[in-house]
Amino acid sequence: LGKLSVLSNDLDIAIAQVNQFEALAKQYYDDFQVVVNLQRKIGLHPKDALYGDLRGAVHQVETLLSERENYKLLALMLQLRRAEKDFMLRFDLKYLSKFNDLVTNFQSEIKNAGFDANYENQLINLLATYQSKFKALVDAQVALGLDLDSGALGEMKHSVGLSDAIVTELTDQTKAFVESSAATAQLIALIVFIIASILVMVLVYFTSRSIIQPIERVYHTINEIRRNNDLSMSITQSGKDEITTMTVDFNSLISDFKKLIYEVNTALST
């Protein structure tokens, strides 16, 4: 998240969303810790925490009941266990009400069974412990959530939903920024290409001109000499390239022709 925040500030995109996402991520972490702690309180397996306490209380009642063969109480005990299991399977609070009603009937049957006072008190106390352990388990499960939309699970789901919405918004804004940056990069590349093309064409033009112009001067001078039979003409020399070397040689050739013609005319005159 720190890197994401730094990157968002550097690129100046979705800063508010990133800050909001950081807050939601912390909220999600806190909600998750609450869920974990509640699940640990309930128990991670049948012999752990509240599950284990409830299991122990049940066994104590069943052990004491086994000392007396009272089928009505045994039948009520089975109904209590069924209500307990139904709640654990369906997470419906109506089974808590059913459980409490069965406990009331159970207590009445104990008092009507004609047990000695010590056994009766011991059984009623164990039943009360069993009821309190089951109630503690139900309360913890309600706090955790009877479904994904209630309790701590509902809070965590809500945090996840908000986080998903922010992530979607972040993704859309980042995608838009990338597309905009790509378009800008393409435009810059096109402009650079056009400028480079113009520079190349200008360079080619001046380079060609620097080659063609001296050649045209040589061509026009030769043409003038041929038409006018004027060997006094010469080509202007400039530069140190091959064209200049050719111009020097041409001027030397014309000079040699002039000298030869002069010598021939001199010889004819004498």
Side-chain angles (χ1 to χ4, degrees):
L1 288 177
K3 292 182 179 180
L4 179 61
S5 179
V6 171
L7 181 61
S8 174
N9 289 325
D10 290 343
L11 298 178
D12 194 25
I13 57 171
I15 297 176
Q17 286 78 6
V18 169
N19 293 334
Q20 188 176 359
F21 180 70
E22 287 182 353
L24 287 173
K26 184 180 183 304
Q27 182 61 48
Y28 169 71
Y29 176 80
D30 293 340
D31 291 342
F32 181 73
Q33 292 301 313
V34 171
V35 169
V36 170
N37 291 332
L38 283 171
Q39 188 59 61
R40 286 176 176 171
K41 180 180 179 181
I42 292 171
L44 301 178
H45 55 79
K47 296 182 180 180
D48 185 35
L50 290 176
Y51 279 146
D53 293 343
L54 180 64
R55 182 187 179 94
V58 168
H59 287 169
Q60 286 181 334
V61 175
E62 289 178 337
T63 300
L64 192 60
L65 278 177
S66 65
E67 296 179 4
R68 308 291 172 90
E69 294 182 358
N70 188 308
Y71 296 106
K72 287 186 178 180
L73 293 180
L74 290 174
L76 285 172
M77 188 64 194
L78 289 175
Q79 293 179 52
L80 284 173
R81 295 304 309 275
R82 181 176 178 179
E84 171 196 330
K85 298 301 181 184
D86 284 342
F87 173 79
M88 291 181 181
L89 287 173
R90 298 175 177 84
F91 296 127
D92 192 333
L93 290 178
K94 71 179 182 180
Y95 295 109
L96 175 61
S97 299
K98 183 177 180 180
F99 183 90
N100 289 332
D101 291 341
L102 288 170
V103 168
T104 301
N105 293 337
F106 203 116
Q107 290 170 339
S108 298
E109 287 297 328
I110 292 174
K111 292 178 180 179
N112 295 330
F115 297 134
D116 59 85
N118 183 49
Y119 182 85
E120 180 180 315
N121 291 333
Q122 189 176 1
L123 188 56
I124 288 176
N125 289 336
L126 289 177
L127 182 62
T129 300
Y130 176 30
Q131 185 180 22
S132 67
K133 296 298 183 184
F134 181 65
K135 180 64 167 57
L137 176 63
V138 171
D139 291 342
Q141 187 62 56
V142 169
L144 178 61
L146 298 178
D147 52 46
L148 293 178
D149 296 318
S150 64
L153 290 174
E155 292 293 330
M156 187 173 70
K157 182 180 178 181
H158 180 67
S159 297
V160 170
L162 293 176
S163 298
D164 286 343
I166 293 298
V167 168
T168 300
E169 190 174 351
L170 275 172
T171 301
D172 292 341
Q173 290 196 25
T174 303
K175 183 179 179 181
F177 177 79
V178 170
E179 290 176 350
S180 175
S181 298
T184 303
Q186 290 178 349
L187 179 61
I188 293 174
L190 180 61
I191 293 173
V192 170
F193 175 76
I194 292 173
I195 294 175
S197 298
I198 293 174
L199 291 176
V200 169
M201 287 188 290
V202 169
L203 181 62
V204 169
Y205 171 75
F206 283 108
T207 302
S208 301
R209 187 176 178 184
S210 67
I211 295 173
I212 292 173
Q213 279 187 340
I215 294 175
E216 286 181 343
R217 284 201 304 269
V218 172
Y219 166 74
H220 288 306
T221 302
I222 293 174
N223 193 39
E224 287 295 323
I225 292 173
R226 182 181 61 80
R227 285 190 305 168
N228 300 324
N229 293 321
D230 185 3
L231 295 178
S232 64
M233 298 182 65
S234 63
I235 302 172
T236 304
Q237 303 172 13
S238 63
K240 297 181 180 181
D241 54 12
E242 289 79 1
I243 302 298
T244 303
T245 302
M246 184 181 69
T247 301
V248 171
D249 291 339
F250 179 78
N251 288 336
S252 298
L253 179 63
I254 295 299
S255 178
D256 291 341
F257 278 156
K258 286 168 63 179
K259 186 183 295 184
L260 177 62
I261 291 171
Y262 175 76
E263 291 176 351
V264 169
N265 289 334
T266 302
L268 291 175
S269 298
T270 57

